[in-house]
């Protein structure tokens, strides 16, 4: 966890560095955790959930047990524990059940949340797609601009606001724009820290060059960072008349994203993390085509095979669907 990841108690986590705990130790402890879970108090329960989610570890069976235990004890949780668990379950993508259960308690005890924890709660409810404008307005009412600005623990406020502006466009657009400005720089820095390893970035750049496209790396999209974005989309497939006939030549920018565990994928299941899907959603909301590359398949290809693998996928991603092409103007 980087400096912007924050300390304990739901304080603005951004899991972009090495895990706090050895994943092998966590895996080996699963059976014991499941057998001891009834003896855990809420502090123990929160700590265990947080440890597994920060490491992007843990089996679906373990998280099912932990998730149920947290829902059963929801009324006993402190607000900082709710913020920590919300971030954890949104990261591992366990659905909206916990958030529906916790929402009333959060409203009732709003003044017990720290400012970074409020940002965590906003992000986690957005990531879980449990969007209630009245709930969000209550959370924003306790945010203090001077406490948000420059605090890396509040970085998750930026993607939360991007999501809210997309799905709840009538909700105080000027106020949301202002708050987004306070948190965007910190979020952008955290995104840069989460870029693929240098060797992977070099290999992708070589493949894009060989595919004959013009691109930018570490491309800023409202604070999110796309690994690569193709900038000569209008030229993609222009030599292929049949291709043009299929989609009437309307193109969109294409983002190329490289995925690996535990950086963007769950270490055990290989599923995308909540943060990964939030970026994907925002890129699509901004009308980017997206090409996702999984490291296990990509890294096995040699250089010529990578360019041959990429180019048809770039062509497909650049093609704006006819319905979208007719409504985007």
């Amino acid at each position: 966890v980087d400096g912007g990841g924050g300390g304990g108690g739901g304080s603005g986590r951004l899991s972009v560095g090495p895990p706090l705990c050895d994943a092998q130790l966590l895996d080996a402890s699963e059976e014991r955790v499941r057998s001891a879970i009834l003896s855990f108090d809420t502090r123990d329960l929160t700590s265990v959930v947080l440890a597994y989610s920060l490491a992007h570890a843990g089996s679906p069976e373990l998280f099912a047990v932990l998730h149920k235990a947290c829902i059963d004890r929801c009324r006993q949780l402190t607000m900082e524990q709710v913020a920590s668990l919300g971030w954890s379950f949104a990261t591992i993508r366990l659905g909206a059940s916990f958030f529906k259960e916790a929402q009333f308690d959060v409203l009732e005890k709003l003044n017990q949340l720290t400012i970074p924890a409020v940002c965590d709660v906003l992000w986690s409810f957005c990531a879980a797609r449990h969007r209630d404008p009245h709930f969000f307005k209550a959370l924003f009412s306790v945010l203090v601009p001077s406490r948000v600005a420059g605090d890396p623990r509040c970085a998750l406020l930026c993607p939360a606001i991007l999501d809210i502006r997309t799905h709840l466009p009538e909700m105080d657009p000027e106020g949301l724009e202002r708050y987004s400005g306070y948190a965007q720089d910190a979020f952008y820095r955290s995104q840069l820290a989460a870029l693929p390893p240098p060797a992977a970035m070099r290999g992708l750049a070589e493949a894009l060059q060989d595919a004959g496209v013009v691109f930018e790396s570490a491309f800023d999209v409202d604070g999110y960072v796309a690994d690569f974005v193709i900038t000569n989309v209008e030229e993609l497939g222009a030599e292929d008349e049949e291709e043009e006939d299929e989609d009437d030549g309307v193109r969109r920018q294409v983002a190329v994203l490289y995925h690996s565990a535990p950086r963007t994928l769950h270490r055990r299941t290989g599923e995308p993390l909540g943060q990964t899907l939030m970026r994907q959603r925002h890129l699509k909301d901004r009308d980017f085509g997206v090409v996702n590359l999984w490291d296990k398949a990509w890294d096995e290809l040699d250089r010529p095979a990578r360019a041959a693998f990429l180019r048809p996928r770039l062509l497909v991603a650049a093609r704006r669907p006819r319905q979208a092409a007719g409504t985007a103007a």
Side-chain angles (χ1 to χ4, degrees):
V1 181
D2 74 339
S11 299
R13 290 174 190 81
L14 286 168
S15 184
V16 298
L20 294 175
C21 185
D22 188 302
Q24 290 183 331
L25 175 61
L26 290 172
D27 288 344
S29 302
E30 280 202 17
E31 185 176 344
R32 184 169 184 178
V33 169
R34 285 199 296 268
S35 64
I37 198 167
L38 292 178
S39 67
F40 290 170
D41 59 23
T42 57
R43 181 177 179 179
D44 295 334
L45 189 57
T46 303
S47 297
V48 168
V49 172
L50 191 56
Y52 277 94
S53 57
L54 280 168
H56 304 162
S59 67
E61 294 78 15
L62 174 66
F63 266 102
V65 173
L66 292 170
H67 190 232
K68 183 180 184 304
C70 291
I71 291 175
D72 290 345
R73 302 188 206 178
C74 194
R75 299 289 176 268
Q76 304 168 29
L77 298 169
T78 68
M79 287 301 95
E80 293 295 301
Q81 289 169 349
V82 168
S84 293
L85 292 169
W87 179 89
S88 297
F89 293 144
T91 294
I92 304 301
R93 296 172 48 220
L94 289 181
S97 299
F98 175 80
F99 301 93
K100 293 176 181 177
E101 191 71 24
Q103 180 172 329
F104 177 78
D105 290 328
V106 172
L107 286 172
E108 194 175 55
K109 304 172 185 176
L110 202 54
N111 62 344
Q112 297 179 19
L113 284 168
T114 65
I115 298 299
V118 171
C119 298
D120 277 357
V121 170
L122 280 164
W123 178 84
S124 62
F125 273 71
C126 288
R129 301 188 184 188
H130 188 56
R131 307 179 184 97
D132 180 337
H134 301 292
F135 178 65
F136 287 165
K137 287 176 183 177
L139 288 167
F140 277 106
S141 72
V142 300
L143 285 180
V144 180
S146 62
R147 300 271 301 279
V148 172
D151 189 341
R153 297 174 302 165
C154 296
L156 287 178
L157 180 61
C158 175
I161 288 175
L162 293 174
D163 184 85
I164 292 168
R165 288 168 62 185
T166 297
H167 297 281
L168 300 171
E170 303 302 318
M171 187 180 148
D172 189 15
E174 292 183 3
L176 292 178
E177 178 74 24
R178 184 170 64 253
Y179 272 109
S180 180
Y182 297 140
Q184 185 167 326
D185 285 348
F187 180 62
Y188 174 68
R189 289 194 296 272
S190 75
Q191 286 278 288
L192 288 176
L195 279 169
M201 292 291 284
R202 286 193 299 271
L204 277 164
E206 290 171 352
L208 290 168
Q209 288 171 351
D210 294 346
V213 298
V214 179
F215 59 88
E216 291 184 28
S217 61
F219 192 90
D220 182 4
V221 185
D222 305 319
Y224 281 106
V225 173
D227 302 339
F228 292 89
V229 165
I230 311 308
T231 56
N232 64 333
V233 288
E234 293 301 328
E235 301 172 25
L236 275 175
E239 73 284 356
D240 189 337
E241 293 182 3
E242 181 179 345
E243 193 83 40
E244 289 295 309
D245 290 340
E246 289 181 7
D247 65 3
D248 60 26
V250 180
R251 303 293 181 184
R252 58 183 175 178
Q253 288 182 295
V254 178
V256 180
L257 308 177
Y258 175 88
H259 297 288
S260 59
R263 192 179 55 85
T264 60
L265 306 175
H266 189 274
R267 187 190 303 273
R268 188 80 167 264
T269 67
E271 289 292 317
L273 301 168
Q275 295 88 335
T276 306
L277 285 190
M278 285 284 278
R279 178 175 63 165
Q280 180 101 351
R281 288 179 210 160
H282 185 68
L283 290 171
K284 291 186 174 181
D285 289 337
R286 288 292 308 274
D287 196 31
F288 281 77
V290 179
V291 174
N292 291 297
L293 303 173
W294 269 254
D295 62 334
K296 289 183 179 179
W298 176 257
D299 293 350
E300 292 180 355
L301 300 176
D302 60 20
R303 182 165 174 170
R306 288 178 175 180
F309 180 88
L310 259 184
R311 186 166 180 81
R313 287 163 175 78
L314 295 175
L315 289 168
V316 171
R319 193 182 306 147
R320 183 181 288 123
R322 285 183 182 276
Q323 183 178 1
T327 57

